[in-house]
Amino acid sequence: KQEVTQIPAALSVPEGENLVLNCSFTDSAIYNLQWFRQDPGKGLTSLLLIQSSQREQTSGRLNASLDKSSGRSTLYIAASQPGDSATYLCAVRQERNRDDKIIFGKGTRLHILP
Amino acid sequence: IAGITQAPTSQILAAGRRMTLRCTQDMRHNAMYWYRQDLGLGLRLIHYSNTAGTTGKGEVPDGYSVSRANTDDFPLTLASAVPSQTSVYFCASSDYLWNNEQFFGPGTRLTVL
């Protein structure tokens, strides 16, 4: 059964630093992987979607990479800002015709210190 | 309406009562989903729908039912609420099932006493 793990559960870094958030998954037979942001008391906002055939995706200061064979993805945030403080979740979609459908990690709670 | 709306925003409910959480999207997405989010457990899929008229069970479907009478609406019903159903419920949609980015509603905070 697919398991998605995000370590650390929480992270505090000073403003302006570059940082990396990690996501690992146990079954490499995924269709795609998506990174989300969730602000307190709010729903999830999609940040980046990486198809299984892709290695990375970029949007502004965000860069997500995918190493399917090793079961890992990273979300790189450049020049962090206090507005980046939120919980970041990754989610994997299984390949078609598998029992598991979409599995979320529990998230990394990020706090950017002004 | 822009995107996905959910109602109510929050609700306190007595155990044993029936409750329907509403979800409406205006993006003409084929697929819709219901998740619950609990501290320490993350997001878990309850039910999903591939298209109007079809639904499927997710990871934690017991105690919940859904219907998909049309493209836009995907209500979630708790027939007889229990305290373990206290959670934050999120509705989501995507263009096609599992294939594309999912867009989430703002959530419904439900407390069952």
Side-chain angles (χ1 to χ4, degrees):
Chain A
K1 182 181 177 182
Q2 177 75 271
E3 293 182 3
V4 179
T5 303
Q6 293 184 250
I7 296 173
L11 180 65
S12 294
V13 300
E15 179 180 1
E17 285 198 2
N18 304 325
L19 61 98
V20 174
L21 304 180
N22 298 297
C23 172
S24 62
F25 45 96
T26 54
D27 186 347
S28 62
I30 67 168
Y31 198 74
N32 59 42
L33 183 146
Q34 190 168 1
W35 282 93
F36 294 88
R37 168 187 174 133
Q38 185 176 28
D39 294 290
K42 305 291 185 183
L44 278 68
T45 301
S46 177
L47 296 173
L48 291 163
L49 173 69
I50 311 177
Q51 302 294 344
S52 62
S53 58
Q54 297 176 321
R55 296 285 294 182
E56 64 179 323
Q57 284 283 345
T58 298
S59 176
R61 293 183 294 108
L62 305 180
N63 176 277
S65 68
L66 175 64
D67 185 342
K68 189 178 165 183
S69 61
S70 68
R72 289 202 284 186
S73 176
T74 61
L75 179 67
Y76 175 83
I77 302 177
S80 59
Q81 303 170 359
D84 294 331
S85 297
T87 297
Y88 292 80
L89 297 96
C90 66
V92 300
R93 287 174 173 76
Q94 296 298 108
E95 286 186 342
R96 286 176 177 164
N97 301 321
R98 287 185 173 246
D99 290 336
D100 292 340
K101 298 176 176 68
I102 179 167
I103 308 296
F104 281 81
K106 295 178 182 177
T108 294
R109 191 170 61 255
L110 177 64
H111 181 50
I112 305 300
L113 305 168
Chain B
I1 298 179
I4 300 179
T5 58
Q6 293 184 237
T9 302
S10 64
Q11 182 76 44
I12 298 174
L13 189 67
R17 298 295 296 269
R18 180 184 179 89
M19 176 72 190
T20 295
L21 308 185
R22 300 185 298 279
C23 174
T24 300
Q25 54 103 359
D26 66 352
M27 298 175 282
R28 307 303 294 173
H29 282 169
N30 291 291
M32 297 186 74
Y33 316 80
W34 274 106
Y35 295 90
R36 59 178 290 174
Q37 187 175 37
D38 303 286
L39 194 64
L41 296 176
L43 271 162
R44 293 179 293 170
L45 181 67
I46 305 171
H47 285 288
Y48 65 93
S49 170
N50 188 13
T51 187
T54 67
T55 62
K57 293 182 179 180
E59 182 184 357
V60 288
D62 294 343
Y64 306 94
S65 63
V66 291
S67 61
R68 188 88 183 275
N70 56 62
T71 298
D72 299 344
D73 301 300
F74 191 42
L76 176 73
T77 298
L78 289 67
S80 179
V82 295
S84 63
Q85 292 178 311
T86 294
S87 186
V88 180
Y89 290 86
F90 289 100
C91 179
S93 71
S94 63
D95 197 3
Y96 293 98
L97 189 64
W98 314 130
N99 273 10
N100 296 80
E101 296 179 63
Q102 289 195 352
F103 296 87
F104 280 74
T108 293
R109 183 174 295 276
L110 181 67
T111 302
V112 182
L113 302 176

